[in-house]
mmCIF file of all heavy atoms in Angstrom:
data_model
loop_
_atom_site.group_PDB
_atom_site.id
_atom_site.type_symbol
_atom_site.label_atom_id
_atom_site.label_comp_id
_atom_site.label_asym_id
_atom_site.label_seq_id
_atom_site.Cartn_x
_atom_site.Cartn_y
_atom_site.Cartn_z
ATOM 1 N N MET A 1 70.969 138.113 148.484
ATOM 2 C CA MET A 1 71.052 137.707 147.073
ATOM 3 C C MET A 1 71.510 136.260 147.102
ATOM 4 O O MET A 1 72.687 135.948 147.003
ATOM 5 C CB MET A 1 72.051 138.591 146.333
ATOM 6 C CG MET A 1 72.324 138.204 144.889
ATOM 7 S SD MET A 1 70.873 138.374 143.815
ATOM 8 C CE MET A 1 71.569 137.869 142.259
ATOM 9 N N TRP A 2 70.569 135.338 147.313
ATOM 10 C CA TRP A 2 71.040 133.997 147.662
ATOM 11 C C TRP A 2 70.185 132.867 147.089
ATOM 12 O O TRP A 2 70.213 131.765 147.607
ATOM 13 C CB TRP A 2 71.121 133.853 149.170
ATOM 14 C CG TRP A 2 69.823 133.987 149.921
ATOM 15 C CD1 TRP A 2 68.555 134.051 149.440
ATOM 16 C CD2 TRP A 2 69.689 134.048 151.336
ATOM 17 N NE1 TRP A 2 67.638 134.160 150.452
ATOM 18 C CE2 TRP A 2 68.315 134.159 151.640
ATOM 19 C CE3 TRP A 2 70.589 134.012 152.400
ATOM 20 C CZ2 TRP A 2 67.838 134.250 152.941
ATOM 21 C CZ3 TRP A 2 70.100 134.096 153.704
ATOM 22 C CH2 TRP A 2 68.749 134.225 153.963
ATOM 23 N N SER A 3 69.471 133.069 146.047
ATOM 24 C CA SER A 3 68.615 132.015 145.528
ATOM 25 C C SER A 3 68.972 131.700 144.083
ATOM 26 O O SER A 3 68.955 132.582 143.223
ATOM 27 C CB SER A 3 67.145 132.440 145.601
ATOM 28 O OG SER A 3 66.326 131.499 144.957
ATOM 29 N N GLY A 4 69.299 130.417 143.806
ATOM 30 C CA GLY A 4 69.621 130.021 142.448
ATOM 31 C C GLY A 4 68.468 130.222 141.487
ATOM 32 O O GLY A 4 68.665 130.622 140.338
ATOM 33 N N GLU A 5 67.233 129.951 141.945
ATOM 34 C CA GLU A 5 66.070 130.107 141.070
ATOM 35 C C GLU A 5 65.904 131.549 140.618
ATOM 36 O O GLU A 5 65.559 131.825 139.470
ATOM 37 C CB GLU A 5 64.795 129.638 141.781
ATOM 38 C CG GLU A 5 64.637 128.133 141.821
ATOM 39 C CD GLU A 5 65.395 127.509 142.983
ATOM 40 O OE1 GLU A 5 66.204 128.218 143.612
ATOM 41 O OE2 GLU A 5 65.189 126.313 143.252
ATOM 42 N N VAL A 6 66.148 132.499 141.527
ATOM 43 C CA VAL A 6 66.031 133.905 141.170
ATOM 44 C C VAL A 6 67.241 134.351 140.360
ATOM 45 O O VAL A 6 67.127 135.084 139.375
ATOM 46 C CB VAL A 6 65.857 134.765 142.431
ATOM 47 C CG1 VAL A 6 65.829 136.242 142.070
ATOM 48 C CG2 VAL A 6 64.573 134.376 143.165
ATOM 49 N N ALA A 7 68.438 133.884 140.751
ATOM 50 C CA ALA A 7 69.654 134.263 140.024
ATOM 51 C C ALA A 7 69.603 133.789 138.580
ATOM 52 O O ALA A 7 70.196 134.415 137.684
ATOM 53 C CB ALA A 7 70.878 133.676 140.722
ATOM 54 N N ARG A 8 68.904 132.683 138.322
ATOM 55 C CA ARG A 8 68.803 132.173 136.955
ATOM 56 C C ARG A 8 68.185 133.210 136.018
ATOM 57 O O ARG A 8 68.545 133.297 134.835
ATOM 58 C CB ARG A 8 67.992 130.879 136.945
ATOM 59 C CG ARG A 8 68.021 130.148 135.607
ATOM 60 C CD ARG A 8 67.363 128.781 135.724
ATOM 61 N NE ARG A 8 68.128 127.910 136.614
ATOM 62 C CZ ARG A 8 67.698 127.471 137.794
ATOM 63 N NH1 ARG A 8 66.492 127.825 138.248
ATOM 64 N NH2 ARG A 8 68.444 126.686 138.541
ATOM 65 N N LEU A 9 67.256 134.006 136.544
ATOM 66 C CA LEU A 9 66.639 135.064 135.737
ATOM 67 C C LEU A 9 67.694 136.067 135.272
ATOM 68 O O LEU A 9 67.728 136.460 134.098
ATOM 69 C CB LEU A 9 65.564 135.757 136.578
ATOM 70 C CG LEU A 9 64.852 136.956 135.980
ATOM 71 C CD1 LEU A 9 63.991 136.528 134.810
ATOM 72 C CD2 LEU A 9 63.984 137.631 137.049
ATOM 73 N N PHE A 10 68.580 136.480 136.180
ATOM 74 C CA PHE A 10 69.640 137.423 135.822
ATOM 75 C C PHE A 10 70.657 136.770 134.895
ATOM 76 O O PHE A 10 71.162 137.401 133.959
ATOM 77 C CB PHE A 10 70.324 137.935 137.082
ATOM 78 C CG PHE A 10 69.415 138.699 137.989
ATOM 79 C CD1 PHE A 10 68.910 138.122 139.138
ATOM 80 C CD2 PHE A 10 69.048 140.002 137.694
ATOM 81 C CE1 PHE A 10 68.067 138.819 139.986
ATOM 82 C CE2 PHE A 10 68.204 140.708 138.524
ATOM 83 C CZ PHE A 10 67.707 140.113 139.672
ATOM 84 N N ALA A 11 70.972 135.496 135.156
ATOM 85 C CA ALA A 11 71.953 134.793 134.328
ATOM 86 C C ALA A 11 71.467 134.700 132.884
ATOM 87 O O ALA A 11 72.249 134.900 131.936
ATOM 88 C CB ALA A 11 72.225 133.408 134.904
ATOM 89 N N GLU A 12 70.198 134.405 132.694
ATOM 90 C CA GLU A 12 69.662 134.314 131.336
ATOM 91 C C GLU A 12 69.706 135.678 130.647
ATOM 92 O O GLU A 12 70.025 135.764 129.445
ATOM 93 C CB GLU A 12 68.237 133.779 131.382
ATOM 94 C CG GLU A 12 68.154 132.311 131.790
ATOM 95 C CD GLU A 12 66.728 131.841 132.015
ATOM 96 O OE1 GLU A 12 65.802 132.684 131.953
ATOM 97 O OE2 GLU A 12 66.539 130.625 132.255
ATOM 98 N N ALA A 13 69.405 136.741 131.388
ATOM 99 C CA ALA A 13 69.473 138.083 130.799
ATOM 100 C C ALA A 13 70.907 138.430 130.409
ATOM 101 O O ALA A 13 71.149 139.036 129.353
ATOM 102 C CB ALA A 13 68.926 139.114 131.783
ATOM 103 N N LEU A 14 71.877 138.049 131.228
ATOM 104 C CA LEU A 14 73.283 138.315 130.913
ATOM 105 C C LEU A 14 73.728 137.539 129.677
ATOM 106 O O LEU A 14 74.462 138.066 128.827
ATOM 107 C CB LEU A 14 74.157 137.951 132.114
ATOM 108 C CG LEU A 14 74.063 138.889 133.326
ATOM 109 C CD1 LEU A 14 74.602 138.216 134.576
ATOM 110 C CD2 LEU A 14 74.826 140.190 133.047
ATOM 111 N N ARG A 15 73.306 136.286 129.562
ATOM 112 C CA ARG A 15 73.683 135.488 128.388
ATOM 113 C C ARG A 15 73.048 136.033 127.111
ATOM 114 O O ARG A 15 73.670 136.033 126.047
ATOM 115 C CB ARG A 15 73.269 134.027 128.593
ATOM 116 C CG ARG A 15 74.252 133.221 129.430
ATOM 117 C CD ARG A 15 73.951 131.740 129.343
ATOM 118 N NE ARG A 15 72.660 131.414 129.948
ATOM 119 C CZ ARG A 15 72.503 131.042 131.212
ATOM 120 N NH1 ARG A 15 73.561 130.952 132.014
ATOM 121 N NH2 ARG A 15 71.307 130.766 131.685
ATOM 122 N N ASP A 16 71.827 136.506 127.219
ATOM 123 C CA ASP A 16 71.099 136.965 126.030
ATOM 124 C C ASP A 16 71.527 138.360 125.572
ATOM 125 O O ASP A 16 71.243 138.740 124.420
ATOM 126 C CB ASP A 16 69.594 136.974 126.298
ATOM 127 C CG ASP A 16 69.022 135.575 126.490
ATOM 128 O OD1 ASP A 16 69.703 134.596 126.104
ATOM 129 O OD2 ASP A 16 67.915 135.464 127.043
ATOM 130 N N ASN A 17 72.160 139.130 126.461
ATOM 131 C CA ASN A 17 72.467 140.524 126.148
ATOM 132 C C ASN A 17 73.931 140.815 126.488
ATOM 133 O O ASN A 17 74.259 141.116 127.645
ATOM 134 C CB ASN A 17 71.548 141.461 126.940
ATOM 135 C CG ASN A 17 70.080 141.235 126.642
ATOM 136 O OD1 ASN A 17 69.560 141.710 125.642
ATOM 137 N ND2 ASN A 17 69.404 140.492 127.505
ATOM 138 N N PRO A 18 74.818 140.756 125.515
ATOM 139 C CA PRO A 18 76.254 140.878 125.795
ATOM 140 C C PRO A 18 76.688 142.243 126.302
ATOM 141 O O PRO A 18 77.809 142.376 126.806
ATOM 142 C CB PRO A 18 76.895 140.558 124.436
ATOM 143 C CG PRO A 18 75.819 140.781 123.423
ATOM 144 C CD PRO A 18 74.536 140.441 124.108
ATOM 145 N N ASP A 19 75.838 143.269 126.205
ATOM 146 C CA ASP A 19 76.183 144.596 126.730
ATOM 147 C C ASP A 19 75.612 144.844 128.120
ATOM 148 O O ASP A 19 75.768 145.934 128.672
ATOM 149 C CB ASP A 19 75.673 145.687 125.784
ATOM 150 C CG ASP A 19 76.374 145.667 124.439
ATOM 151 O OD1 ASP A 19 77.569 145.310 124.402
ATOM 152 O OD2 ASP A 19 75.726 146.008 123.429
ATOM 153 N N LEU A 20 74.935 143.844 128.683
ATOM 154 C CA LEU A 20 74.272 144.023 129.974
ATOM 155 C C LEU A 20 75.255 143.848 131.129
ATOM 156 O O LEU A 20 76.027 142.892 131.157
ATOM 157 C CB LEU A 20 73.129 143.018 130.119
ATOM 158 C CG LEU A 20 72.352 143.034 131.442
ATOM 159 C CD1 LEU A 20 71.639 144.368 131.633
ATOM 160 C CD2 LEU A 20 71.363 141.876 131.495
ATOM 161 N N HIS A 21 75.202 144.761 132.091
ATOM 162 C CA HIS A 21 75.964 144.660 133.334
ATOM 163 C C HIS A 21 74.991 144.520 134.501
ATOM 164 O O HIS A 21 73.916 145.138 134.514
ATOM 165 C CB HIS A 21 76.829 145.896 133.560
ATOM 166 C CG HIS A 21 78.020 145.966 132.643
ATOM 167 N ND1 HIS A 21 79.287 145.620 133.036
ATOM 168 C CD2 HIS A 21 78.120 146.341 131.340
ATOM 169 C CE1 HIS A 21 80.125 145.776 132.033
ATOM 170 N NE2 HIS A 21 79.446 146.218 130.986
ATOM 171 N N LEU A 22 75.391 143.722 135.476
ATOM 172 C CA LEU A 22 74.624 143.531 136.706
ATOM 173 C C LEU A 22 75.442 144.061 137.874
ATOM 174 O O LEU A 22 76.569 143.603 138.105
ATOM 175 C CB LEU A 22 74.308 142.051 136.918
ATOM 176 C CG LEU A 22 73.671 141.656 138.258
ATOM 177 C CD1 LEU A 22 72.283 142.279 138.406
ATOM 178 C CD2 LEU A 22 73.582 140.132 138.389
ATOM 179 N N VAL A 23 74.908 145.028 138.598
ATOM 180 C CA VAL A 23 75.540 145.587 139.798
ATOM 181 C C VAL A 23 74.694 145.200 140.998
ATOM 182 O O VAL A 23 73.481 145.437 141.012
ATOM 183 C CB VAL A 23 75.661 147.120 139.706
ATOM 184 C CG1 VAL A 23 76.179 147.694 141.023
ATOM 185 C CG2 VAL A 23 76.576 147.512 138.552
ATOM 186 N N VAL A 24 75.328 144.591 141.998
ATOM 187 C CA VAL A 24 74.617 144.141 143.192
ATOM 188 C C VAL A 24 75.342 144.675 144.426
ATOM 189 O O VAL A 24 76.567 144.505 144.559
ATOM 190 C CB VAL A 24 74.560 142.603 143.274
ATOM 191 C CG1 VAL A 24 73.684 142.171 144.441
ATOM 192 C CG2 VAL A 24 74.041 142.010 141.977
ATOM 193 N N VAL A 25 74.607 145.324 145.330
ATOM 194 C CA VAL A 25 75.142 145.812 146.605
ATOM 195 C C VAL A 25 74.495 145.012 147.727
ATOM 196 O O VAL A 25 73.263 144.997 147.847
ATOM 197 C CB VAL A 25 74.876 147.318 146.785
ATOM 198 C CG1 VAL A 25 75.466 147.822 148.106
ATOM 199 C CG2 VAL A 25 75.459 148.109 145.608
ATOM 200 N N VAL A 26 75.313 144.320 148.518
ATOM 201 C CA VAL A 26 74.832 143.392 149.544
ATOM 202 C C VAL A 26 75.541 143.664 150.868
ATOM 203 O O VAL A 26 76.545 144.373 150.906
ATOM 204 C CB VAL A 26 75.077 141.927 149.115
ATOM 205 C CG1 VAL A 26 74.269 141.571 147.884
ATOM 206 C CG2 VAL A 26 76.572 141.670 148.881
ATOM 207 N N PRO A 27 75.057 143.093 151.983
ATOM 208 C CA PRO A 27 75.801 143.198 153.242
ATOM 209 C C PRO A 27 77.108 142.398 153.156
ATOM 210 O O PRO A 27 77.197 141.395 152.449
ATOM 211 C CB PRO A 27 74.854 142.576 154.271
ATOM 212 C CG PRO A 27 73.523 142.511 153.612
ATOM 213 C CD PRO A 27 73.786 142.391 152.145
ATOM 214 N N ARG A 28 78.108 142.846 153.904
ATOM 215 C CA ARG A 28 79.386 142.127 153.909
ATOM 216 C C ARG A 28 79.253 140.775 154.586
ATOM 217 O O ARG A 28 79.770 139.766 154.088
ATOM 218 C CB ARG A 28 80.458 142.965 154.621
ATOM 219 C CG ARG A 28 81.850 142.329 154.613
ATOM 220 C CD ARG A 28 82.895 143.300 155.129
ATOM 221 N NE ARG A 28 82.943 144.496 154.283
ATOM 222 C CZ ARG A 28 83.628 145.596 154.598
ATOM 223 N NH1 ARG A 28 84.300 145.661 155.741
ATOM 224 N NH2 ARG A 28 83.645 146.624 153.780
ATOM 225 N N VAL A 29 78.583 140.729 155.729
ATOM 226 C CA VAL A 29 78.374 139.477 156.459
ATOM 227 C C VAL A 29 76.921 139.428 156.908
ATOM 228 O O VAL A 29 76.244 140.455 157.003
ATOM 229 C CB VAL A 29 79.313 139.362 157.690
ATOM 230 C CG1 VAL A 29 80.766 139.304 157.253
ATOM 231 C CG2 VAL A 29 79.098 140.523 158.658
ATOM 232 N N PRO A 30 76.378 138.228 157.202
ATOM 233 C CA PRO A 30 75.004 138.133 157.694
ATOM 234 C C PRO A 30 74.813 138.904 158.994
ATOM 235 O O PRO A 30 75.772 139.231 159.702
ATOM 236 C CB PRO A 30 74.809 136.629 157.892
ATOM 237 C CG PRO A 30 75.776 136.000 156.943
ATOM 238 C CD PRO A 30 76.979 136.904 156.946
ATOM 239 N N ASP A 31 73.557 139.153 159.324
ATOM 240 C CA ASP A 31 73.262 139.990 160.490
ATOM 241 C C ASP A 31 73.491 139.270 161.804
ATOM 242 O O ASP A 31 73.733 139.924 162.831
ATOM 243 C CB ASP A 31 71.820 140.520 160.424
ATOM 244 C CG ASP A 31 70.796 139.413 160.289
ATOM 245 O OD1 ASP A 31 71.159 138.311 159.845
ATOM 246 O OD2 ASP A 31 69.618 139.651 160.626
ATOM 247 N N GLN A 32 73.422 137.943 161.810
ATOM 248 C CA GLN A 32 73.584 137.192 163.048
ATOM 249 C C GLN A 32 74.801 136.273 162.967
ATOM 250 O O GLN A 32 75.219 135.860 161.890
ATOM 251 C CB GLN A 32 72.331 136.364 163.346
ATOM 252 C CG GLN A 32 71.068 137.188 163.514
ATOM 253 C CD GLN A 32 71.142 138.175 164.666
ATOM 254 O OE1 GLN A 32 71.711 137.864 165.722
ATOM 255 N NE2 GLN A 32 70.570 139.357 164.476
ATOM 256 N N GLU A 33 75.374 135.975 164.130
ATOM 257 C CA GLU A 33 76.541 135.107 164.198
ATOM 258 C C GLU A 33 76.115 133.661 164.457
ATOM 259 O O GLU A 33 74.959 133.381 164.737
ATOM 260 C CB GLU A 33 77.481 135.584 165.312
ATOM 261 C CG GLU A 33 78.072 136.959 165.044
ATOM 262 C CD GLU A 33 78.936 137.447 166.192
ATOM 263 O OE1 GLU A 33 78.605 137.118 167.357
ATOM 264 O OE2 GLU A 33 79.930 138.138 165.929
ATOM 265 N N GLY A 34 77.086 132.760 164.355
ATOM 266 C CA GLY A 34 76.828 131.355 164.618
ATOM 267 C C GLY A 34 76.825 130.546 163.342
ATOM 268 O O GLY A 34 76.269 130.977 162.323
ATOM 269 N N THR A 35 77.425 129.386 163.392
ATOM 270 C CA THR A 35 77.556 128.549 162.198
ATOM 271 C C THR A 35 76.215 128.220 161.587
ATOM 272 O O THR A 35 76.041 128.281 160.354
ATOM 273 C CB THR A 35 78.297 127.240 162.560
ATOM 274 O OG1 THR A 35 79.583 127.577 163.086
ATOM 275 C CG2 THR A 35 78.457 126.355 161.347
ATOM 276 N N PHE A 36 75.232 127.889 162.411
ATOM 277 C CA PHE A 36 73.937 127.480 161.879
ATOM 278 C C PHE A 36 73.225 128.647 161.206
ATOM 279 O O PHE A 36 72.481 128.466 160.244
ATOM 280 C CB PHE A 36 73.065 126.915 163.002
ATOM 281 C CG PHE A 36 71.829 126.221 162.506
ATOM 282 C CD1 PHE A 36 71.886 124.914 162.038
ATOM 283 C CD2 PHE A 36 70.605 126.866 162.489
ATOM 284 C CE1 PHE A 36 70.747 124.265 161.568
ATOM 285 C CE2 PHE A 36 69.460 126.238 162.029
ATOM 286 C CZ PHE A 36 69.537 124.926 161.567
ATOM 287 N N ALA A 37 73.464 129.876 161.707
ATOM 288 C CA ALA A 37 72.819 131.051 161.114
ATOM 289 C C ALA A 37 73.536 131.517 159.851
ATOM 290 O O ALA A 37 72.905 131.964 158.891
ATOM 291 C CB ALA A 37 72.772 132.191 162.130
ATOM 292 N N VAL A 38 74.872 131.393 159.825
ATOM 293 C CA VAL A 38 75.668 132.005 158.766
ATOM 294 C C VAL A 38 75.889 131.077 157.581
ATOM 295 O O VAL A 38 75.701 131.468 156.417
ATOM 296 C CB VAL A 38 77.026 132.461 159.346
ATOM 297 C CG1 VAL A 38 77.985 132.860 158.232
ATOM 298 C CG2 VAL A 38 76.821 133.617 160.321
ATOM 299 N N THR A 39 76.283 129.840 157.840
ATOM 300 C CA THR A 39 76.727 128.961 156.751
ATOM 301 C C THR A 39 75.657 128.702 155.705
ATOM 302 O O THR A 39 75.941 128.768 154.498
ATOM 303 C CB THR A 39 77.257 127.631 157.328
ATOM 304 O OG1 THR A 39 78.255 127.922 158.323
ATOM 305 C CG2 THR A 39 77.863 126.767 156.244
ATOM 306 N N PRO A 40 74.400 128.425 156.066
ATOM 307 C CA PRO A 40 73.385 128.236 155.015
ATOM 308 C C PRO A 40 73.198 129.472 154.140
ATOM 309 O O PRO A 40 72.921 129.346 152.941
ATOM 310 C CB PRO A 40 72.126 127.903 155.811
ATOM 311 C CG PRO A 40 72.626 127.320 157.094
ATOM 312 C CD PRO A 40 73.865 128.097 157.406
ATOM 313 N N GLN A 41 73.351 130.668 154.710
ATOM 314 C CA GLN A 41 73.251 131.870 153.891
ATOM 315 C C GLN A 41 74.378 131.922 152.865
ATOM 316 O O GLN A 41 74.167 132.318 151.708
ATOM 317 C CB GLN A 41 73.281 133.120 154.764
ATOM 318 C CG GLN A 41 72.074 133.274 155.668
ATOM 319 C CD GLN A 41 71.976 134.666 156.269
ATOM 320 O OE1 GLN A 41 72.369 135.644 155.646
ATOM 321 N NE2 GLN A 41 71.438 134.751 157.473
ATOM 322 N N TYR A 42 75.588 131.526 153.281
ATOM 323 C CA TYR A 42 76.710 131.526 152.351
ATOM 324 C C TYR A 42 76.492 130.529 151.206
ATOM 325 O O TYR A 42 76.923 130.769 150.076
ATOM 326 C CB TYR A 42 78.002 131.195 153.086
ATOM 327 C CG TYR A 42 78.555 132.325 153.925
ATOM 328 C CD1 TYR A 42 79.298 132.075 155.068
ATOM 329 C CD2 TYR A 42 78.334 133.651 153.567
ATOM 330 C CE1 TYR A 42 79.817 133.110 155.835
ATOM 331 C CE2 TYR A 42 78.832 134.692 154.334
ATOM 332 C CZ TYR A 42 79.581 134.416 155.463
ATOM 333 O OH TYR A 42 80.076 135.448 156.211
ATOM 334 N N VAL A 43 75.819 129.422 151.493
ATOM 335 C CA VAL A 43 75.505 128.457 150.436
ATOM 336 C C VAL A 43 74.693 129.130 149.339
ATOM 337 O O VAL A 43 75.021 129.069 148.144
ATOM 338 C CB VAL A 43 74.734 127.242 150.998
ATOM 339 C CG1 VAL A 43 74.128 126.405 149.871
ATOM 340 C CG2 VAL A 43 75.645 126.373 151.850
ATOM 341 N N GLY A 44 73.607 129.788 149.747
ATOM 342 C CA GLY A 44 72.733 130.405 148.762
ATOM 343 C C GLY A 44 73.390 131.551 148.029
ATOM 344 O O GLY A 44 73.243 131.690 146.804
ATOM 345 N N ARG A 45 74.123 132.394 148.739
ATOM 346 C CA ARG A 45 74.745 133.548 148.088
ATOM 347 C C ARG A 45 75.813 133.103 147.103
ATOM 348 O O ARG A 45 75.907 133.640 145.997
ATOM 349 C CB ARG A 45 75.339 134.498 149.128
ATOM 350 C CG ARG A 45 76.013 135.700 148.494
ATOM 351 C CD ARG A 45 76.360 136.769 149.493
ATOM 352 N NE ARG A 45 75.154 137.388 150.018
ATOM 353 C CZ ARG A 45 75.156 138.380 150.907
ATOM 354 N NH1 ARG A 45 76.284 138.839 151.382
ATOM 355 N NH2 ARG A 45 74.021 138.891 151.328
#
């Protein structure tokens, strides 16, 4: 769950509908280790 362009769709729905809830279930940490593999994913999420 890491893209601003896609998240904007949910954000607009939340702003337009005050009774709307968004539930998201994601992995706790990325699947691979290493700064180059992990840090860019954290940026997007």
Side-chain angles (χ1 to χ4, degrees):
M1 175 65 179
W2 62 9
S3 173
E5 282 84 349
V6 176
R8 189 172 295 113
L9 176 68
F10 297 103
E12 291 172 355
L14 288 162
R15 278 192 294 267
D16 293 343
N17 300 279
D19 294 328
L20 178 63
H21 287 259
L22 172 65
V23 174
V24 186
V25 181
V26 295
R28 183 171 300 170
V29 296
D31 56 338
Q32 300 299 322
E33 295 177 326
T35 301
F36 191 81
V38 169
T39 307
Q41 294 194 32
Y42 285 150
V43 167
R45 179 169 292 181

